[in-house]
Amino acid sequence: MRRGSILAGDRRISSVLWSRFALRHWRQEPGLTALLVGILALGVAVFLAVRLANKAAVSGFSLFTESVAGESDFLIRSPAGPLGVGILRDLRRASGTDAVGLFPVLEVPAVDAKNPEGAILRLVGADLVALQNAANDGGSAAGSGPSLTAEESGEVVLGREDMGFVGEAFARARNLEPGDEYSLLVNDRPVPITVQGILQENPTRPAVPDNLILMDLPGLQKLVEEEGALSRVEIRVPLGAERGRVLERTRLAYSQLAERKDLIMETPEDRKSSVTRMSAAFRMNLTILSGLALVVGVYLIMQAMEAAVVKRRAEIAILRALGVTPRQIRRAWLLESLVLGAAGAAVGILLGRLLATGLVGAIARTVDTMYHQTTTSSVTLGWGEVLFSLSFGIAASVVAGFLPAREAAATPPAQAVRQGVQGGGLALLRKKGVGLTLLVVGIACAWLPPFQTSGGTLVPAGGYLAAIVLVVSLSILVGILFTPLSGLLGGREGDPMRRYAASQLRRPGGRHRLTAAGLAVAVGMSAAMGILVASFEHTLTSWIGQLLKADIYVAAAGSSSAAGEGTISPETWRRLGNLRGVAGMDKLRRYTITVEEREVFLAGSDYHGDARRRPQLVWLDAPDEPGPEALRGEEGSIPLAWISEPFARRLEAGKGDVVEFPTPAGTKSARVAGVYADYGNEFGTILLSRHHTSRWFQDDSVSRIAVYLEGGKDAEKVLETIRGEFPALVSRTNARLRSESLRIFHQTFAVTYALEAIAVVIAVAGLGLAMTGLLLERKNELATLRSLGASRRSIARAAAWEGSALAAAGLAGGFAISFLLGWILIFVVNPQSFGWTLAYRIPWLSFAGLTAVTLAVAAAVAWAVGHRNANLRSDRED
């Protein structure tokens, strides 16, 4: 009975504390409450938005046949080049008497003829009869929609190279109806396609992608002049009592066949996982950076709650004198933090959903350009993300409120009534020895090797750990700056208010240290990202300058994306070379191959004879003979190859090593003659002479051409001629290609710029809250200054000097953090995640602007806070 009474009493006390102690202050200061909720909401929103956009970009990859006939059980593909149609006969023989469905598929990239540099479309050729039967057997909505095989409008669909089916979203976006003609660019020629029908959506299957054009397989093979070629064969075991046993027999038989013929057999989920794993490092680093706003927000919540402790100190003393226990007071503060966290997270979820809609486009474009094709243009918010965001926001707020709650509960009543007591902050921030120790530990962590996940993704765990430890270390060490700053600010003579401000820094309290640490973390992370962007931009600009030596660059339509594999036929590139004014061409043919279960590029190149105008590769390990003639080698000897840095890092290969790779002519090998820097992709590239690749792949087409003009020829005029003669090709001058490359670069880092601004805004807001708490602690001092004749403007000026000094300490510490974090990002995280070596560059001009803006805003905020609190009397609270 007594225990029940105690619990009931605790609940009543908690209810009174909530309504009279917390809720009353929230009502009195709605602006501050809204600010705290808003800051927390912003942190949760940014994190959730990036998470949703990343998820959408990944989920946008799918096998295009799934939306028409459902998911297959297995698929067979070649590690290099297309499959031959003869594989179907081998698969039939291997399956014996089992009824196994085989669905041969050919995929070809294309683009809208009206927008050659727009999103890539996919022409998918499939056995329409087999797909229709599978769709009907599975109860697909396709069966009740347009027929894939029948005659419509008096025309036969099967075998036609000028007819296709599109999804509802595709037709709606382009105002197409059955019977309309749609113009495409396929490889190096325009192709008209008649829309034969609209594929209806099936709620039980993935949505029909808005870039899919489904054709009959023989028709697409004729269209691209690749008769007998297949991208893959999808395999499906029908439903039935024997499905389990047939599935296992099929798996064993086909895996043995794939091993004998050096093919790849995998499930659709394996394929999706391997493709989306390509962008895993990019998405992971973006997610970690997106937590910046919330990390800095934790500092702000902590400062605000500590300021609230000061404001309510007299109330806390009264409550303690009336018998309220420290535990009950601590619980009340934590409850207040929890409610703030829940409110901020709820608002953040709504805001994050809106932000994600804007972010998904930028992230999807980057993923599409650098990694794999994604068809996503929208995001979905599931209950998992909602619960995660709520937990994340509440946890951050409770962590931020823990120290103020402990201080409020531990302060004795007599001390609580006294004003001018400096407390608060983290005790850890006073321990310089710990800071120095952590500095050494953080630098040591940076040398730890990366951790490799089961999927093969390298995680720079040592780099991330080093970053965290170094941030904590310099947050502690920033406190040593107060003494020299107080000396610079005070001097022997001058403004008394400035000397008063200097005296406060001479004996800094916990809140001084916490405020400077919070600002240092925000500035440090923001400036570190600035160093990363500046280093990347400088490196990329230098690389482009050395690589782009030609006058005009020509590519097949859609080649700007990693998924683009368009080609220029021998007839076309020979005609291009014979144009008036063209002095010579460099030609490149790139293939996607699989080496050690990793997607890499195999590239064959031809170089123009004039060595003075050739692209100059940036060598990390230069070959003994840097000229491209050395790559051709002698007949019968092992070819020489240059490999890119990402390939060297991912496959642990170097100069002198022999690398093996698959080709349609069997496994080939090449000796590495040099390693060069490549910032165009993260896959990794093996570069050889096209003399070898054209024989191995039986292919004389090219992917890209660099055109050199005769002396005195106007590049713009020749460009007009090329566009007139070859309208299906994408042509740019040297200047335009450089500009486009930098545009894509800035698009990739667009999210980073927003995160930088958010971090600094939150930190300056935290400075204002900290100054409020500091001035409230000094009510007696302020009253004394007023009685001695100090005006409100004078006290505001003193607060501005103090706030500026705090900002200066935070900026100095922040820049120190940024230099170390920048070093880790560039020399540890970036090489381990992406395989790129960057030149370290500090954007001094941007840093000067950041310093000026931060100091000016900090002084203005502190002045406003000082002016507002200058009239406080020692016998009452504001």
Side-chain angles (χ1 to χ4, degrees):
M1 184 70 179
R2 183 180 176 187
R3 184 178 178 183
S5 300
I6 293 174
L7 291 175
D10 274 351
R11 283 195 292 270
R12 285 195 299 272
I13 292 174
S14 297
S15 175
V16 171
L17 287 177
W18 168 249
S19 62
R20 302 291 184 181
F21 189 61
L23 196 57
R24 179 171 63 87
H25 283 280
W26 286 11
R27 289 170 179 165
Q28 290 176 347
E29 296 182 327
L32 176 60
T33 304
L35 175 64
L36 294 179
V37 171
I39 291 298
L40 194 59
L42 187 59
V44 172
V46 170
F47 188 84
L48 176 62
V50 172
R51 182 182 173 91
L52 289 176
N54 279 340
K55 176 185 172 184
V58 171
S59 64
F61 174 82
S62 63
L63 299 175
F64 289 90
T65 49
E66 289 179 5
S67 55
V68 180
E71 186 174 67
S72 300
D73 295 302
F74 308 108
L75 61 90
I76 298 281
R77 63 183 179 90
S78 171
L83 283 170
V85 74
I87 189 64
L88 296 174
R89 180 182 62 251
D90 297 331
L91 290 170
R92 284 295 180 199
R93 288 175 178 171
S95 60
T97 59
D98 289 329
V100 177
L102 302 179
F103 300 88
V105 177
L106 175 65
E107 283 191 28
V108 177
V111 295
D112 188 327
K114 296 179 181 178
N115 185 19
E117 300 185 40
I120 291 183
L121 308 176
R122 303 301 293 191
L123 292 174
V124 176
D127 184 340
L128 295 187
V129 175
L131 278 185
Q132 182 72 63
N133 293 336
N136 291 337
D137 291 343
S140 169
S144 60
S147 171
L148 299 179
T149 60
E151 295 185 10
E152 293 196 10
S153 304
E155 295 183 287
V156 178
V157 178
L158 296 181
R160 293 291 296 266
E161 57 188 279
D162 59 348
M163 287 188 175
F165 297 86
V166 299
E168 295 176 353
F170 186 106
R172 187 168 53 249
R174 297 163 179 82
N175 296 317
L176 295 175
E177 298 287 344
D180 290 347
E181 187 175 277
Y182 183 62
S183 297
L184 299 172
L185 299 180
V186 181
N187 291 333
D188 57 356
R189 61 194 180 94
V191 173
I193 296 290
T194 299
V195 177
Q196 185 64 18
I198 309 298
L199 300 170
Q200 295 182 350
E201 299 288 349
N202 184 342
T204 65
R205 289 178 182 153
V208 178
D210 61 3
N211 64 342
L212 167 67
I213 302 175
L214 181 64
M215 300 178 65
D216 191 38
L217 176 60
L220 181 57
Q221 289 172 332
K222 284 190 291 184
L223 176 66
V224 297
E225 300 178 349
E226 292 187 21
E227 296 188 25
L230 302 174
S231 300
R232 64 180 180 274
V233 177
E234 297 189 29
I235 302 155
R236 188 174 309 150
V237 176
L239 299 175
E242 294 293 312
R243 173 177 162 78
R245 283 189 283 271
V246 174
L247 195 65
E248 182 60 22
R249 287 198 299 267
T250 302
R251 186 188 66 79
L252 288 173
Y254 286 178
S255 61
Q256 291 171 0
L257 175 66
E259 187 174 354
R260 288 198 309 271
K261 292 187 171 292
D262 293 326
L263 301 176
I264 295 174
M265 177 179 172
E266 57 194 356
T267 66
E269 287 303 316
D270 291 336
R271 182 60 184 154
K272 293 175 189 177
S273 176
S274 65
V275 171
T276 56
R277 192 167 57 239
M278 299 173 191
S279 61
F282 166 75
R283 292 181 286 106
M284 179 177 60
N285 281 280
L286 191 58
T287 299
I288 290 172
L289 290 177
S290 69
L292 167 64
L294 194 59
V295 170
V296 180
V298 168
Y299 275 98
L300 179 60
I301 300 294
M302 187 182 297
Q303 291 167 354
M305 296 295 284
E306 286 206 318
V309 170
V310 178
K311 294 187 72 171
R312 305 181 206 172
R313 185 168 280 163
E315 292 183 20
I316 294 172
I318 294 171
L319 291 172
R320 291 291 308 279
L322 291 175
V324 178
T325 65
R327 181 184 173 202
Q328 290 168 333
I329 291 177
R330 182 169 59 250
R331 186 187 303 165
W333 281 102
L334 290 177
L335 176 63
E336 190 170 342
S337 299
L338 188 148
V339 174
L340 274 175
V347 176
I349 291 170
L350 297 176
L351 182 59
R353 177 63 180 79
L354 296 175
L355 286 175
T357 303
L359 282 179
V360 68
I363 292 178
R365 283 192 298 271
T366 300
V367 169
D368 185 56
T369 300
M370 297 186 65
Y371 301 102
H372 57 82
Q373 188 173 9
T374 175
T375 61
T376 296
S377 59
S378 61
V379 296
T380 56
L381 178 63
W383 283 109
E385 283 83 15
V386 171
L387 294 176
F388 179 83
S389 300
L390 277 173
S391 303
F392 196 46
I394 290 172
S397 185
V398 170
V399 167
F402 176 76
L403 287 175
R406 188 179 65 177
E407 180 187 355
T411 305
Q415 184 179 345
V417 173
R418 293 172 51 206
Q419 301 297 332
V421 178
Q422 289 193 343
L426 287 165
L428 179 65
L429 298 179
R430 300 177 181 273
K431 300 179 180 179
K432 300 175 186 176
V434 174
L436 291 172
T437 302
L438 290 177
L439 182 63
V440 175
V441 172
I443 294 174
C445 288
W447 300 102
L448 294 175
F451 167 75
Q452 187 167 2
T453 66
S454 57
T457 301
L458 292 178
V459 179
Y464 294 139
L465 181 60
I468 294 171
V469 173
L470 288 173
V471 167
V472 174
S473 165
L474 292 174
S475 296
I476 297 171
L477 296 178
V478 73
I480 65 177
L481 298 174
F482 287 119
T483 300
L485 280 172
S486 66
L488 289 173
L489 188 61
R492 299 193 175 208
E493 298 179 358
D495 183 2
M497 291 294 101
R498 194 177 68 196
R499 297 175 65 186
Y500 169 73
S503 70
Q504 301 300 321
L505 298 176
R506 221 169 276 124
R507 44 185 180 86
R511 291 187 182 85
H512 284 98
R513 298 176 187 275
L514 180 61
T515 303
L519 187 60
V521 170
V523 170
M525 292 186 176
S526 175
M529 286 189 284
I531 290 175
L532 175 63
V533 173
S535 300
F536 212 130
E537 185 168 19
H538 172 83
T539 304
L540 189 66
T541 303
S542 301
W543 175 67
I544 290 173
Q546 288 189 246
L547 197 64
L548 301 185
K549 298 292 186 180
D551 300 294
I552 296 174
Y553 291 86
V554 180
S559 297
S560 60
S561 169
E565 299 172 357
T567 59
I568 304 173
S569 67
E571 178 188 1
T572 298
W573 63 254
R574 289 190 179 107
R575 281 177 52 211
L576 178 62
N578 291 329
L579 287 179
R580 180 177 296 179
V582 174
M585 300 188 301
D586 294 338
K587 300 180 289 295
L588 181 77
R589 178 66 166 100
R590 192 177 74 176
Y591 305 90
T592 301
I593 63 175
T594 302
V595 178
E596 297 184 13
E597 300 183 352
R598 299 171 184 266
E599 302 272 320
V600 300
F601 290 132
L602 178 66
S605 63
D606 285 338
Y607 284 96
H608 178 242
D610 187 352
R612 294 172 299 175
R613 304 182 69 183
R614 288 175 184 157
Q616 303 298 314
L617 297 179
V618 178
W619 293 109
L620 302 176
D621 195 348
D624 298 329
E625 296 182 45
E629 296 83 2
L631 291 181
R632 183 162 184 144
E634 298 179 3
E635 293 294 335
S637 63
I638 183 171
L640 296 180
W642 298 335
I643 61 174
S644 67
E645 182 186 13
F647 183 91
R649 289 183 181 274
R650 292 175 68 184
L651 279 300
E652 297 181 352
K655 185 177 177 181
D657 292 340
V658 174
V659 294
E660 294 186 342
F661 44 87
T663 73
T667 301
K668 300 296 180 181
S669 58
R671 187 176 303 280
V672 178
V675 180
Y676 65 93
D678 183 4
Y679 305 100
N681 69 79
E682 188 193 325
F683 289 61
T685 302
I686 307 170
L687 182 63
L688 303 101
S689 169
R690 203 167 65 86
H691 168 74
H692 303 297
T693 57
S694 60
R695 286 189 295 109
W696 296 337
F697 286 82
Q698 292 296 297
D699 176 22
D700 204 25
S701 65
V702 298
S703 306
R704 295 175 175 84
I705 301 173
V707 179
Y708 299 90
L709 303 181
E710 296 174 352
K713 291 294 182 180
D714 187 331
E716 291 291 344
K717 290 184 178 179
V718 177
L719 180 67
E720 289 180 12
T721 302
I722 292 175
R723 287 178 172 174
E725 291 282 334
F726 308 98
L729 298 180
V730 177
S731 308
R732 302 181 184 90
T733 62
N734 189 304
R736 290 188 185 182
L737 183 58
R738 289 172 187 249
S739 175
E740 177 68 11
S741 300
L742 291 176
R743 185 193 66 78
I744 294 174
F745 163 79
H746 288 294
Q747 168 190 300
T748 303
F749 284 95
V751 179
T752 304
Y753 302 140
L755 294 177
E756 292 182 52
I758 289 171
V760 175
V761 168
I762 292 176
V764 172
L767 176 64
L769 290 173
M771 288 301 301
T772 299
L774 289 168
L775 293 176
L776 284 172
E777 283 185 326
R778 301 183 208 147
K779 289 181 183 180
N780 290 341
E781 290 184 13
L782 296 182
T784 302
L785 289 173
R786 291 301 304 274
S787 65
L788 292 175
S791 65
R792 292 184 69 183
R793 292 175 62 87
S794 299
I795 293 175
R797 191 167 66 251
W801 281 115
E802 187 174 352
S804 299
L806 279 172
L811 283 166
F815 288 138
I817 289 175
S818 72
F819 297 148
L820 287 175
L821 285 187
W823 173 75
I824 291 172
L825 287 172
I826 291 169
F827 297 115
V828 180
V829 173
N830 196 65
Q832 292 180 5
S833 294
F834 305 107
W836 294 329
T837 296
L838 305 179
Y840 189 93
R841 288 294 181 274
I842 298 174
W844 293 112
L845 188 61
S846 297
F847 281 12
L850 176 63
T851 300
V853 170
T854 303
L855 287 175
V857 173
V861 169
W863 191 95
V865 171
H867 192 269
R868 178 177 179 272
N869 289 276
N871 274 345
L872 289 177
R873 296 201 307 266
S874 60
D875 60 344
R876 69 171 180 89
E877 293 188 4
D878 187 26

